[in-house]
Each structure stands twice: as C-alpha cells, then as structure tokens.
Amino acid sequence: MCHDPSERIDLKSHSGRVRVWAGDTLIADTRKAIELRETGYPLRLYIPREDVEMTRLRRSATTTHCPFKGDTTYYSIELDGETIRDAAWSYEAPFEAVAPIRGRLAFDPELIRIQGGGDRSG
C-alpha cells in the first residue's frame, strides 16, 4: 500500500558538492545529489550511480519497505578485505511521488563519512 508522502517528504536538488568516504577511500563524489527530508528522520542525500564507485559496492541480502517510498535494496562496501555491511541503500522502483530518487544511492552516516551534506556532513 502506498501512502501519500506529500505531507511527510520533501525532495530538492542539493546545491553543493557531496563526497562519501569509507575510511580513506573515496566512494562517491557528486554535484548532483538530491536531498530527501522526511518528517522524523535526518536529511538523506541520494547520489546518482554514475558518481559512485560501484565496483566497491556489493548488493546485500537486506531489504526493507517504507510505506512512503517503497522497497529498499541495501549494499555493503568492500575495502581491501574489510566489509562495511549495509552502508548504502537504494530504491530501485520507488513510488511515483518520490521517483527522482529511483536508482540513486544514500549512505549511512553512522558507518561512513559524508562531506558536504549540510546538517549531515562529517
């Protein structure tokens, strides 16, 4: 069931550069992030795949469902024998109201470092 996210979710283009680091390794670098603000949750930045080092990511078995966005696919980051589990997620087929985040990746700021993310920068 799809709930109307219009009162809960706000999407807009992020105005600056965003970089995502796992340790000393640059995982993503973009000027094309989309900000997703959802009531009760911190700001999330969704980054286009072409600006992510996808060779470092592996799809995990973890999935979740959001009644406002849809089904989520998770990715782990692999770095020189170390794995950061479920460090990123993506909505491959989000509900129409949040279609701009389709196929983009968001990263967990508790597991990796995000620079340039406004109130979530690190």
Side-chain angles (χ1 to χ4, degrees):
M1 178 177 184
C2 175
H3 297 273
D4 180 10
S6 62
E7 298 291 320
R8 182 176 176 92
I9 294 175
D10 181 46
L11 296 173
K12 71 175 189 175
S13 294
H14 185 70
S15 61
R17 182 180 186 185
V18 177
R19 293 185 291 174
V20 176
W21 298 87
D24 293 330
T25 303
L26 183 63
I27 300 297
D29 189 351
T30 190
R31 293 184 183 277
K32 298 179 278 184
I34 292 178
E35 294 181 9
L36 185 145
R37 294 181 187 273
E38 182 174 2
T39 303
Y41 292 92
L43 167 71
R44 299 295 188 204
L45 297 170
Y46 283 82
I47 297 173
R49 285 178 192 244
E50 64 265 19
D51 294 337
V52 176
E53 185 59 53
M54 293 300 295
T55 60
R56 297 282 190 180
L57 275 64
R58 298 289 176 265
R59 188 173 176 162
S60 79
T62 304
T63 60
T64 58
H65 176 79
C66 171
F68 300 98
K69 297 184 290 285
D71 295 325
T72 312
T73 301
Y74 281 79
Y75 293 84
S76 295
I77 298 173
E78 295 185 355
L79 298 171
D80 304 321
E82 178 188 347
T83 299
I84 305 171
R85 295 192 46 76
D86 298 338
W89 63 89
S90 178
Y91 290 89
E92 304 302 317
F95 297 136
E96 192 59 35
V98 292
I101 66 170
R102 180 182 327 273
R104 291 171 172 258
L105 292 156
F107 292 85
D108 187 335
E110 294 183 18
L111 298 175
I112 47 82
R113 182 167 43 108
I114 301 171
Q115 292 180 317
D119 59 12
R120 295 299 296 170
S121 63

